[in-house]
Amino acid sequence: MARHRVRWVESGGGPLIAVPETVLPFWAGAEGDETASDYDRACEIDGPVGLLPVGDGAALVLGDEPAATAYLPDHATFVRRYAADSEADVLSAVPAALATAEWEKEVRWKVPGPVHLFDSARPGTDPERSDPLRVTLPPGPYAVRAAWTRPGPETWLGLVQLRALER
């Protein structure tokens, strides 16, 4: 794996969300006058991943428990750190975790280009407040699958892998 700086995104307690850059202005987070905010909709996702309509696109919700999450482009995978002694332990465990994971059912996600990963309670229009991680993805359809793994006695990870599909 190429060495690059890994940036972790954390939430204040709710799910993280990957919103396509083209529809960021339409994500209101926990703000708004509606009876159910975008954040409330994200919290209703049952399982490790789900899709929510945003503008004329869809956002990917990383559900279940909140966990520090990074995107590893070499593996096209969001890695969620539930327990580990160090970042080095997490990163060294990823290849084995990917090889032995028992994957949940895939979802199909149409991505128009780069996405921003951030706390779903934050609005997409305020990058200073949401502190997003920008993930560059080529436009197109993706199969998204998720798994919980325990590659070591002290290392528990969630994996959300993206696989580009033919158009």
Side-chain angles (χ1 to χ4, degrees):
M1 177 165 73
R3 291 285 163 214
H4 56 286
R5 186 174 172 272
V6 175
R7 176 145 176 270
W8 297 89
V9 175
E10 297 188 35
S11 82
L16 294 175
I17 190 162
V19 179
E21 199 167 76
T22 58
V23 295
L24 274 173
F26 299 103
W27 184 261
E31 297 177 357
D33 299 328
E34 299 176 22
T35 56
S37 68
D38 287 340
Y39 172 74
D40 292 330
R41 294 188 311 132
C43 289
E44 290 174 3
I45 294 296
D46 185 28
V49 294
L51 298 175
L52 282 180
V54 179
D56 64 355
L60 179 69
V61 178
L62 304 183
D64 284 339
E65 297 178 34
T69 301
Y71 183 73
L72 302 182
D74 295 346
H75 300 290
T77 301
F78 290 103
V79 175
R80 312 195 72 205
R81 179 181 174 170
Y82 291 105
D85 288 334
S86 69
E87 179 181 281
D89 287 351
V90 171
L91 298 178
S92 66
V94 169
L98 286 167
T100 60
E102 292 184 25
W103 299 98
E104 304 269 337
K105 183 179 176 188
E106 288 183 345
V107 297
R108 302 296 166 112
W109 185 29
K110 187 175 180 188
V111 177
V115 301
H116 291 234
L117 179 72
F118 57 96
D119 184 335
S120 61
R122 305 288 184 216
T125 55
D126 190 355
E128 294 295 317
R129 204 166 141 212
S130 63
D131 193 26
L133 169 63
R134 187 175 190 264
V135 177
T136 302
L137 297 174
Y142 287 81
V144 181
R145 62 184 187 170
W148 282 74
T149 65
R150 191 170 176 181
E154 302 295 324
T155 305
W156 300 357
L157 306 176
L159 305 171
V160 178
Q161 190 173 52
L162 309 177
R163 181 174 46 88
L165 300 171
E166 291 187 30
R167 294 176 193 232

